[in-house]
mmCIF file with all atom_site columns, all heavy atoms in Angstrom:
data_model
loop_
_atom_site.group_PDB
_atom_site.id
_atom_site.type_symbol
_atom_site.label_atom_id
_atom_site.label_alt_id
_atom_site.label_comp_id
_atom_site.label_asym_id
_atom_site.label_entity_id
_atom_site.label_seq_id
_atom_site.pdbx_PDB_ins_code
_atom_site.Cartn_x
_atom_site.Cartn_y
_atom_site.Cartn_z
_atom_site.occupancy
_atom_site.B_iso_or_equiv
_atom_site.pdbx_formal_charge
_atom_site.auth_seq_id
_atom_site.auth_comp_id
_atom_site.auth_asym_id
_atom_site.auth_atom_id
_atom_site.pdbx_PDB_model_num
ATOM 1  N N   . TRP G 1 122 ? -10.316 32.821 -0.001 1.00 98.00 ? 122 TRP G N   1
ATOM 2  C CA  . TRP G 1 122 ? -9.805  31.938 0.981  1.00 98.00 ? 122 TRP G CA  1
ATOM 3  C C   . TRP G 1 122 ? -10.173 30.397 0.727  1.00 98.00 ? 122 TRP G C   1
ATOM 4  O O   . TRP G 1 122 ? -9.357  29.527 0.653  1.00 98.00 ? 122 TRP G O   1
ATOM 5  C CB  . TRP G 1 122 ? -10.328 32.355 2.412  1.00 98.00 ? 122 TRP G CB  1
ATOM 6  C CG  . TRP G 1 122 ? -9.683  31.619 3.586  1.00 98.00 ? 122 TRP G CG  1
ATOM 7  C CD1 . TRP G 1 122 ? -9.028  30.518 3.602  1.00 98.00 ? 122 TRP G CD1 1
ATOM 8  C CD2 . TRP G 1 122 ? -9.980  31.997 4.921  1.00 98.00 ? 122 TRP G CD2 1
ATOM 9  N NE1 . TRP G 1 122 ? -8.621  30.228 4.900  1.00 98.00 ? 122 TRP G NE1 1
ATOM 10 C CE2 . TRP G 1 122 ? -9.285  31.115 5.700  1.00 98.00 ? 122 TRP G CE2 1
ATOM 11 C CE3 . TRP G 1 122 ? -10.608 33.171 5.508  1.00 98.00 ? 122 TRP G CE3 1
ATOM 12 C CZ2 . TRP G 1 122 ? -9.255  31.107 7.098  1.00 98.00 ? 122 TRP G CZ2 1
ATOM 13 C CZ3 . TRP G 1 122 ? -10.675 33.130 6.858  1.00 98.00 ? 122 TRP G CZ3 1
ATOM 14 C CH2 . TRP G 1 122 ? -9.957  32.130 7.741  1.00 98.00 ? 122 TRP G CH2 1
ATOM 15 N N   . PHE G 1 123 ? -11.408 30.278 0.414  1.00 97.00 ? 123 PHE G N   1
ATOM 16 C CA  . PHE G 1 123 ? -12.060 28.960 0.064  1.00 97.00 ? 123 PHE G CA  1
ATOM 17 C C   . PHE G 1 123 ? -11.362 28.376 -1.259 1.00 97.00 ? 123 PHE G C   1
ATOM 18 O O   . PHE G 1 123 ? -10.899 27.307 -1.302 1.00 97.00 ? 123 PHE G O   1
ATOM 19 C CB  . PHE G 1 123 ? -13.542 29.080 -0.156 1.00 97.00 ? 123 PHE G CB  1
ATOM 20 C CG  . PHE G 1 123 ? -14.212 27.821 -0.759 1.00 97.00 ? 123 PHE G CG  1
ATOM 21 C CD1 . PHE G 1 123 ? -14.271 26.594 -0.135 1.00 97.00 ? 123 PHE G CD1 1
ATOM 22 C CD2 . PHE G 1 123 ? -14.634 27.938 -2.072 1.00 97.00 ? 123 PHE G CD2 1
ATOM 23 C CE1 . PHE G 1 123 ? -14.883 25.573 -0.721 1.00 97.00 ? 123 PHE G CE1 1
ATOM 24 C CE2 . PHE G 1 123 ? -15.204 26.854 -2.703 1.00 97.00 ? 123 PHE G CE2 1
ATOM 25 C CZ  . PHE G 1 123 ? -15.387 25.628 -1.932 1.00 97.00 ? 123 PHE G CZ  1
ATOM 26 N N   . LEU G 1 124 ? -11.302 29.425 -2.281 1.00 97.00 ? 124 LEU G N   1
ATOM 27 C CA  . LEU G 1 124 ? -10.620 28.879 -3.557 1.00 97.00 ? 124 LEU G CA  1
ATOM 28 C C   . LEU G 1 124 ? -9.256  28.599 -3.374 1.00 97.00 ? 124 LEU G C   1
ATOM 29 O O   . LEU G 1 124 ? -8.663  27.593 -4.105 1.00 97.00 ? 124 LEU G O   1
ATOM 30 C CB  . LEU G 1 124 ? -10.682 30.105 -4.529 1.00 97.00 ? 124 LEU G CB  1
ATOM 31 C CG  . LEU G 1 124 ? -12.224 30.290 -4.996 1.00 97.00 ? 124 LEU G CG  1
ATOM 32 C CD1 . LEU G 1 124 ? -12.228 31.490 -6.060 1.00 97.00 ? 124 LEU G CD1 1
ATOM 33 C CD2 . LEU G 1 124 ? -12.803 29.035 -5.773 1.00 97.00 ? 124 LEU G CD2 1
ATOM 34 N N   . ALA G 1 125 ? -8.522  29.111 -2.358 1.00 98.00 ? 125 ALA G N   1
ATOM 35 C CA  . ALA G 1 125 ? -7.128  28.732 -2.150 1.00 98.00 ? 125 ALA G CA  1
ATOM 36 C C   . ALA G 1 125 ? -7.099  27.285 -1.733 1.00 98.00 ? 125 ALA G C   1
ATOM 37 O O   . ALA G 1 125 ? -6.143  26.572 -2.140 1.00 98.00 ? 125 ALA G O   1
ATOM 38 C CB  . ALA G 1 125 ? -6.541  29.628 -1.092 1.00 98.00 ? 125 ALA G CB  1
ATOM 39 N N   . GLY G 1 126 ? -7.980  26.818 -0.970 1.00 97.00 ? 126 GLY G N   1
ATOM 40 C CA  . GLY G 1 126 ? -7.988  25.473 -0.548 1.00 97.00 ? 126 GLY G CA  1
ATOM 41 C C   . GLY G 1 126 ? -8.225  24.597 -1.674 1.00 97.00 ? 126 GLY G C   1
ATOM 42 O O   . GLY G 1 126 ? -7.575  23.472 -1.866 1.00 97.00 ? 126 GLY G O   1
ATOM 43 N N   . ILE G 1 127 ? -9.249  24.825 -2.498 1.00 96.00 ? 127 ILE G N   1
ATOM 44 C CA  . ILE G 1 127 ? -9.553  24.046 -3.663 1.00 96.00 ? 127 ILE G CA  1
ATOM 45 C C   . ILE G 1 127 ? -8.351  24.052 -4.681 1.00 96.00 ? 127 ILE G C   1
ATOM 46 O O   . ILE G 1 127 ? -7.930  23.023 -5.111 1.00 96.00 ? 127 ILE G O   1
ATOM 47 C CB  . ILE G 1 127 ? -10.770 24.638 -4.500 1.00 96.00 ? 127 ILE G CB  1
ATOM 48 C CG1 . ILE G 1 127 ? -12.056 24.621 -3.574 1.00 96.00 ? 127 ILE G CG1 1
ATOM 49 C CG2 . ILE G 1 127 ? -10.994 23.931 -5.718 1.00 96.00 ? 127 ILE G CG2 1
ATOM 50 C CD1 . ILE G 1 127 ? -12.484 23.284 -3.247 1.00 96.00 ? 127 ILE G CD1 1
ATOM 51 N N   . ALA G 1 128 ? -7.830  25.110 -4.971 1.00 97.00 ? 128 ALA G N   1
ATOM 52 C CA  . ALA G 1 128 ? -6.703  25.288 -5.789 1.00 97.00 ? 128 ALA G CA  1
ATOM 53 C C   . ALA G 1 128 ? -5.460  24.507 -5.110 1.00 97.00 ? 128 ALA G C   1
ATOM 54 O O   . ALA G 1 128 ? -4.725  23.826 -5.950 1.00 97.00 ? 128 ALA G O   1
ATOM 55 C CB  . ALA G 1 128 ? -6.261  26.671 -6.020 1.00 97.00 ? 128 ALA G CB  1
ATOM 56 N N   . GLY G 1 129 ? -5.307  24.589 -3.939 1.00 97.00 ? 129 GLY G N   1
ATOM 57 C CA  . GLY G 1 129 ? -4.229  23.860 -3.257 1.00 97.00 ? 129 GLY G CA  1
ATOM 58 C C   . GLY G 1 129 ? -4.376  22.389 -3.401 1.00 97.00 ? 129 GLY G C   1
ATOM 59 O O   . GLY G 1 129 ? -3.275  21.700 -3.726 1.00 97.00 ? 129 GLY G O   1
ATOM 60 N N   . TYR G 1 130 ? -5.519  21.978 -3.379 1.00 96.00 ? 130 TYR G N   1
ATOM 61 C CA  . TYR G 1 130 ? -5.819  20.549 -3.568 1.00 96.00 ? 130 TYR G CA  1
ATOM 62 C C   . TYR G 1 130 ? -5.393  20.058 -4.947 1.00 96.00 ? 130 TYR G C   1
ATOM 63 O O   . TYR G 1 130 ? -4.669  19.046 -5.132 1.00 96.00 ? 130 TYR G O   1
ATOM 64 C CB  . TYR G 1 130 ? -7.251  20.258 -3.397 1.00 96.00 ? 130 TYR G CB  1
ATOM 65 C CG  . TYR G 1 130 ? -7.850  18.856 -3.729 1.00 96.00 ? 130 TYR G CG  1
ATOM 66 C CD1 . TYR G 1 130 ? -7.415  17.667 -3.014 1.00 96.00 ? 130 TYR G CD1 1
ATOM 67 C CD2 . TYR G 1 130 ? -8.633  18.575 -4.964 1.00 96.00 ? 130 TYR G CD2 1
ATOM 68 C CE1 . TYR G 1 130 ? -7.873  16.452 -3.390 1.00 96.00 ? 130 TYR G CE1 1
ATOM 69 C CE2 . TYR G 1 130 ? -9.044  17.450 -5.132 1.00 96.00 ? 130 TYR G CE2 1
ATOM 70 C CZ  . TYR G 1 130 ? -8.694  16.379 -4.430 1.00 96.00 ? 130 TYR G CZ  1
ATOM 71 O OH  . TYR G 1 130 ? -9.146  15.073 -4.799 1.00 96.00 ? 130 TYR G OH  1
ATOM 72 N N   . HIS G 1 131 ? -5.784  20.818 -5.958 1.00 95.00 ? 131 HIS G N   1
ATOM 73 C CA  . HIS G 1 131 ? -5.360  20.434 -7.304 1.00 95.00 ? 131 HIS G CA  1
ATOM 74 C C   . HIS G 1 131 ? -4.020  20.674 -7.677 1.00 95.00 ? 131 HIS G C   1
ATOM 75 O O   . HIS G 1 131 ? -3.342  19.835 -8.345 1.00 95.00 ? 131 HIS G O   1
ATOM 76 C CB  . HIS G 1 131 ? -6.276  21.149 -8.302 1.00 95.00 ? 131 HIS G CB  1
ATOM 77 C CG  . HIS G 1 131 ? -7.754  20.807 -8.305 1.00 95.00 ? 131 HIS G CG  1
ATOM 78 N ND1 . HIS G 1 131 ? -8.146  19.770 -8.891 1.00 95.00 ? 131 HIS G ND1 1
ATOM 79 C CD2 . HIS G 1 131 ? -8.801  21.360 -7.722 1.00 95.00 ? 131 HIS G CD2 1
ATOM 80 C CE1 . HIS G 1 131 ? -9.421  19.584 -8.729 1.00 95.00 ? 131 HIS G CE1 1
ATOM 81 N NE2 . HIS G 1 131 ? -9.930  20.528 -7.963 1.00 95.00 ? 131 HIS G NE2 1
ATOM 82 N N   . VAL G 1 132 ? -3.340  21.611 -6.945 1.00 97.00 ? 132 VAL G N   1
ATOM 83 C CA  . VAL G 1 132 ? -1.909  21.845 -7.147 1.00 97.00 ? 132 VAL G CA  1
ATOM 84 C C   . VAL G 1 132 ? -1.204  20.563 -6.642 1.00 97.00 ? 132 VAL G C   1
ATOM 85 O O   . VAL G 1 132 ? -0.343  20.046 -7.145 1.00 97.00 ? 132 VAL G O   1
ATOM 86 C CB  . VAL G 1 132 ? -1.506  23.040 -6.452 1.00 97.00 ? 132 VAL G CB  1
ATOM 87 C CG1 . VAL G 1 132 ? 0.088   23.107 -6.299 1.00 97.00 ? 132 VAL G CG1 1
ATOM 88 C CG2 . VAL G 1 132 ? -1.868  24.396 -7.277 1.00 97.00 ? 132 VAL G CG2 1
#
Side-chain angles (χ1 to χ4, degrees):
Chain G
W122 186 351
F123 166 73
L124 290 177
I127 297 292
Y130 171 69
H131 290 285
V132 163

